[in-house]
Amino acid sequence: MDTLLTIKQLQQILASHKIFPKKQLGQNFLIDRNIRDKIISFAGITKNDIVVEIGPGLGALTGTIAEKAKFVYGFEKDRKLVKILLNMVSNLPNVFIEEKDFLELDEGFFRKFENKIKIIGNLPYYVASPILFKFLEIRDYWQLAVVMIPEEVAIRIIAKPGDKNFGLMAVLFSLLTNCSICYKVRGSVFYPEPEINSVVMKILSREKPTIDIKNLEAFWKILPKLYMQRRKTILNVVSNSFKLDKKIAASVVQKAGIQPSLRSHQIEIDKMLTLVERISEIKNR
Ligand code: SAM
């Protein structure tokens, strides 16, 4: 069932419930059928798929996902929207809407499915990055995500070593997922119009990282610290963050094949992973 509202219908529903779209909840509602269809087609949904929708709002995507999927689980933070949406989808037996912050959804929910799920969402922009980091935490449970996100976040995800936007996000997404930008989207496809540009991104979860990660615990503990002080040389970052004498830090960095004067965003990912191993060794001695 098509649950996308025209701008007129949307404005009427909002007014009759005395709802003002909340900027602090990233409430920009999709009103363009063509973009809705594109987003859903990028996900290639079949009747075997369980789909989790993040922030279904007033259902712009929900009804059409439900036509194609086995089940749709929508997690929406705004109680007022949940009430209206529950009413809209009350005759769709395969749609389950819950009032919930997606960031607070625990692993128990994902564990109950036999097959890996698909995730779809026009993400609330203020929490797009934390939601994307959560995707990495729960990556064993999903196979594909199609999300609308701010263009500036997408640029940080697909950045390559040497780019000024290259950092932790790009490293993690390149190691653990396969990402591509499907489509650039104009603000006018939303009501109200956001002030920033958006893109639709498709993310595939990899079975194995692109480079072998020898010690996962050390990886998650050490790697983020290497990208925290972007302006400092890698020598200073290693020496400050891991409380190592400058000489020892220099030798650790050089043993990883890295020039100590480089900044973290200039260094290839495989070398950073070697550096993580060297730091872990020296700290565990
Ligand atoms: N999917 C709808 C659409 O395309 O029109 C709404 C998209 S709007 C960009 C983002 C939606 O996410 C809003 O409905 C907002 O209330 C909801 N939201 C905001 N923060 C959330 C969170 N942490 N967890 C779940 N939903 C959230």
Side-chain angles (χ1 to χ4, degrees):
M1 187 180 79
D2 190 341
T3 46
L4 182 114
L5 302 167
T6 62
I7 184 157
K8 225 171 170 187
Q9 291 168 325
L10 180 65
Q11 285 171 334
Q12 267 167 4
I13 289 192
L14 293 173
S16 66
H17 290 84
K18 298 193 174 51
I19 295 174
F20 301 94
K22 297 188 188 77
K23 218 176 171 177
Q24 72 274 20
L25 279 183
Q27 289 177 350
N28 305 96
F29 301 101
L30 185 69
I31 47 169
D32 188 299
R33 190 156 271 113
N34 182 32
I35 298 295
R36 188 271 316 267
D37 291 344
K38 281 213 159 88
I39 293 170
I40 290 171
S41 74
F42 290 132
I45 305 167
T46 71
K47 274 290 164 200
N48 292 323
D49 288 329
I50 311 270
V51 176
V52 165
E53 187 186 354
I54 302 172
L58 289 174
L61 305 173
T62 320
T64 311
I65 299 174
E67 280 173 8
K68 300 181 186 291
K70 189 171 181 187
F71 296 117
V72 188
Y73 292 86
F75 295 100
E76 168 58 57
K77 192 172 174 179
D78 188 322
R79 174 166 303 176
K80 281 190 174 175
L81 300 186
V82 170
K83 252 182 124 178
I84 302 171
L85 183 58
L86 277 173
N87 216 4
M88 287 169 75
V89 298
S90 60
N91 57 349
L92 300 180
N94 63 340
V95 177
F96 305 92
I97 303 295
E98 200 180 315
E99 179 193 332
K100 184 138 197 115
D101 183 330
F102 177 76
L103 291 172
E104 284 169 13
L105 194 59
D106 62 43
E107 279 196 36
F109 167 78
F110 298 97
R111 258 190 235 123
K112 63 185 182 206
F113 303 112
E114 222 174 89
N115 296 328
K116 293 191 176 188
I117 60 160
K118 292 185 174 176
I119 301 178
I120 299 188
N122 289 335
L123 297 191
Y125 290 167
Y126 77 108
V127 275
S129 296
I131 289 176
L132 289 162
F133 276 112
K134 185 176 173 100
F135 284 6
L136 299 178
E137 266 172 49
I138 56 163
R139 67 186 179 283
D140 289 344
Y141 305 107
W142 56 275
Q143 45 163 310
L144 165 147
V146 176
V147 283
M148 175 104 73
I149 55 176
E151 187 177 23
E152 61 188 48
V153 175
I155 287 172
R156 276 194 275 131
I157 290 179
I158 59 166
K160 298 278 176 275
D163 292 355
K164 69 176 193 313
N165 289 302
F166 182 76
L168 184 64
M169 213 170 191
V171 175
L172 295 176
F173 275 85
S174 120
L175 282 169
L176 305 173
T177 73
N178 186 354
C179 292
S180 50
I181 292 180
C182 305
Y183 208 73
K184 236 178 155 170
V185 179
R186 284 171 292 116
S188 58
V189 304
F190 293 104
Y191 175 80
E193 266 191 48
E195 284 145 19
I196 50 173
N197 293 328
S198 315
V199 299
V200 177
M201 180 170 252
K202 180 167 168 173
I203 310 172
L204 298 167
S205 177
R206 290 187 192 275
E207 288 292 326
K208 271 188 180 170
T210 45
I211 303 172
D212 188 32
I213 301 171
K214 297 217 170 75
N215 178 343
L216 261 183
E217 203 188 321
F219 172 84
W220 287 110
K221 214 163 124 195
I222 296 172
L223 190 79
K225 292 190 180 155
L226 295 175
Y227 289 95
M228 269 177 195
Q229 299 159 292
R230 295 185 55 80
R231 298 226 179 95
K232 295 214 164 116
T233 63
I234 193 70
L235 170 62
N236 284 336
V237 172
V238 171
S239 147
N240 295 344
S241 304
F242 302 96
K243 302 196 172 31
L244 294 174
D245 172 86
K246 271 268 163 72
K247 263 194 185 157
I248 296 176
S251 120
V252 168
V253 169
Q254 275 158 345
K255 274 192 192 146
I258 299 170
Q259 227 178 295
S261 61
L262 292 178
R263 270 69 181 164
S264 57
H265 72 274
Q266 299 171 308
I267 302 165
E268 299 292 330
I269 299 176
D270 58 342
K271 290 188 175 162
M272 284 303 243
L273 293 193
T274 311
L275 180 58
V276 167
E277 284 167 29
R278 298 285 95 86
I279 294 171
S280 163
E281 277 163 20
I282 206 155
K283 292 307 279 181
N284 287 324
R285 246 185 226 163

